[in-house]
Amino acid sequence: MKQLEDKIRKVGRPLSEHVLLVDMFLNHQVDCTLMRDIGREFARLFADAGITRVVTIEASGIAPSVMTALELNVPLVILKKARSVILDGGVIQTEVFSFTKQSSYQLTLKPEFVHVGDRVLLIDDFLANGEAATGAAELIKKAGGTVAGIGIVISKNFQPGLKRLRESGYRVEALAEIEEMGEGYVRFAGEAK
Ligand code: G4P
């Protein structure tokens, strides 16, 4: 998605070969016009997938997934990572290890929010190793849903997530695919070295 690549070039900040700072438009300050267009693009890409529900993971997946669910006119479900005293029992959980953050958390879903037969579009902001998406897909399937698609805002293709999810049989669309980055530069898929 050209508009997203331009934004990453303009205000994204590669902190290292592995981490891209996007707090100017995606996960701290949010560019809502861009989020709306991201929602439209995911809705267009998955128009033929019979989506009945969008699922995301808190927190940074929420902005793009709200816009996607709005465009598809389906409910949105936010998987929880933070512990909560209100979510007590009646939940399904799976442990996810974040290589980026070097810590684990329990991804949590109340199964009543994903119905048997639901065709779910899973949306997340970053794809690195694919651990979060794999955990989320597991919960959706446990609840009786089908993962009909996975939409990623930014895939870091030099990490194994995209390849892994596709090899597992998921239909994955990433709006910006970064092949390589370093201090001050980003190379997207399809661009010459
Ligand atoms: P994986 O799920 O693909 O295996 O990825 P990993 O656990 O390694 O990283 C997931 C977390 O790290 C997510 O945040 C994701 O947004 C963030 N992340 C990964 N790579 C980058 C990056 O290059 N830049 C930025 N800014 N974030 C990155 P999270 O723990 O889910 O936190 P939240 O912000 O959604 O609350």
Side-chain angles (χ1 to χ4, degrees), residues 8-9 12-14 20 177-188 191:
I8 292 170
R9 280 245 154 74
R13 208 148 55 79
L20 177 70
E177 294 185 38
I178 298 178
E179 292 296 332
E180 193 186 4
M181 65 185 191
E183 248 190 84
Y185 91 101
V186 174
R187 185 169 63 80
F188 294 104
E191 291 178 339

Side-chain angles (χ1 to χ4, degrees), residues 18-20 22 27 58-60 81 98-101 125-132 156:
H18 301 286
V19 178
L20 177 70
V22 290
N27 59 13
E58 65 177 353
S60 307
K81 288 189 304 197
S98 168
F99 287 98
T100 304
K101 301 197 169 166
D125 59 337
F126 269 99
L127 182 57
N129 292 284
E131 296 291 319
K156 296 189 291 183

Side-chain angles (χ1 to χ4, degrees), residues 13-23 26-28 57-62 81 96-103 105 107 124-135 152 154 156 158-162 164-165 178 181:
R13 208 148 55 79
L15 288 184
S16 66
E17 287 174 4
H18 301 286
V19 178
L20 177 70
L21 199 67
V22 290
D23 59 1
L26 184 56
N27 59 13
H28 199 5
I57 302 167
E58 65 177 353
S60 307
I62 295 175
K81 288 189 304 197
V96 172
F97 179 73
S98 168
F99 287 98
T100 304
K101 301 197 169 166
Q102 287 294 306
S103 60
Y105 58 87
L107 199 59
D124 209 359
D125 59 337
F126 269 99
L127 182 57
N129 292 284
E131 296 291 319
T134 302
I152 299 294
I154 303 170
K156 296 189 291 183
F158 50 86
Q159 291 182 280
L162 184 68
R164 262 198 199 164
L165 293 177
I178 298 178
M181 65 185 191

Side-chain angles (χ1 to χ4, degrees), residues 18 22 30 36 39 42 52 54 60 91 108 131 133 144 153 156 177:
H18 301 286
V22 290
V30 175
R36 180 198 61 199
F42 280 135
T52 59
V54 171
S60 307
V91 296
T108 303
E131 296 291 319
V153 179
K156 296 189 291 183
E177 294 185 38

Side-chain angles (χ1 to χ4, degrees), residues 45-148:
L45 290 167
F46 291 100
D48 62 346
I51 303 299
T52 59
R53 198 166 295 258
V54 171
V55 168
T56 193
I57 302 167
E58 65 177 353
S60 307
I62 295 175
S65 62
V66 165
M67 303 315 273
T68 307
L70 198 60
E71 284 295 322
L72 289 167
N73 195 25
V74 296
L76 167 66
V77 177
I78 301 164
L79 301 180
K80 305 285 188 177
K81 288 189 304 197
R83 282 171 197 276
S84 163
V85 285
I86 304 166
L87 273 178
D88 61 341
V91 296
I92 49 178
Q93 294 188 303
T94 189
E95 184 166 296
V96 172
F97 179 73
S98 168
F99 287 98
T100 304
K101 301 197 169 166
Q102 287 294 306
S103 60
S104 296
Y105 58 87
Q106 288 291 331
L107 199 59
T108 303
L109 168 68
K110 256 192 192 175
E112 68 198 71
F113 297 134
V114 172
H115 302 159
V116 172
D118 258 335
R119 292 184 58 76
V120 173
L121 174 58
L122 177 61
I123 298 285
D124 209 359
D125 59 337
F126 269 99
L127 182 57
N129 292 284
E131 296 291 319
T134 302
E138 204 177 294
L139 289 184
I140 291 162
K141 288 188 270 187
K142 263 191 200 163
T146 297
V147 180

